[in-house]
Amino acid sequence: MTENDIRNGYMEHAAKVQFYRWFQIYERPEGGIGNALDILSKDVQVSSSLGTANGHEEYETRVDQLPKTWRNSHQVTSSKITHMADGSMNLTATIIYQNLGMLDEDAVRQAELAYSVSFAPQNSGLPLITSVEIKPVKEVPGDDYADAYPENRMRSLVHAWLSFIEDPDRDPKPMREILADEFQLNFSSGPIRSFEEFKAWLAGPASQVEASTHVLENFSVNGKDGLYTVAVDFDWAGLLPNGGELVAKTRHTWAVTNDVNERFARIKTMDVEILEPFRPKEK
């Protein structure tokens, strides 16, 4: 991991927050169009085999025309983020798209799609999607239908957590939206049970490095729409004010409550296991 990787990490997590939120209107339309429009710039352009939609109104009309009986699933198989000179970002990804309802006799339609998504930074908050281009790559044999909503919903939450705690502004306010009313974060430094305790942790132990980022490994989700268990390993790297670099590896297990109508699911409990202790990076 380079120094730029570490310093840009929180921005890339923020882009992935919005990217994984993109699928939710298709996978759980009962959540409402509001949370879908929330991630898009006012003049967004969305291009696919259905044509091009410009702006919120045209995009909302397109979504509303989708058959209500369809079920959709989007499994992200790869993604890459490129930083542009003007501060924007572009994310390219490969998706396995599954649909129930398009074909007769409950057959699963399955296709590989290529996504290109552009993001514009905002003065505050998460970046907004300015364009989405979706191109078919190839039809692939249909497997059994697999609901991707739990993983996409939980990945958006995990990237939100990482983006907020890595952001050098150390602003605790966005965390209110992703923490349950009653939560417990079981860190090695001791449990955190209130927002005031969390603010103290963010301003104290979490701020001892100049910049940091996390790479996700071994991600898994279990449960149903109302309550999920998330397990993930984090490879962590941080830059010290004196120019040194620290690394560590942890395993997180979260209990998460989910209301499909909210922008994010919420963390109820977080258990952290240290797999590899914090230490200077070997040269």
Side-chain angles (χ1 to χ4, degrees), residues 136-174:
V137 178
K138 61 184 177 181
E139 296 285 322
V140 294
D143 298 323
D144 291 339
Y145 183 84
D147 183 12
Y149 172 82
E151 176 155 344
N152 290 333
R153 180 71 159 166
M154 294 302 104
R155 282 190 180 270
S156 70
L157 174 67
V158 170
H159 285 294
W161 164 265
L162 296 176
S163 175
F164 297 157
I165 65 169
E166 292 174 3
D167 190 326
D169 287 343
R170 311 292 183 189
D171 182 3
K173 291 192 292 293

Side-chain angles (χ1 to χ4, degrees), residues 5 46 56 72 95 109 122 132 160 163-164 166 182 185 190 198 201 218 236-237 246 263 275 283:
D5 291 334
V46 180
H56 282 196
N72 302 289
I95 310 293
R109 187 217 168 188
Q122 304 301 298
V132 180
S163 175
F164 297 157
E166 292 174 3
E182 295 182 1
L185 311 178
F198 174 77
W201 174 82
N218 303 320
W236 177 88
L246 296 177
R263 297 204 316 161
L275 301 179
K283 301 296 184 181

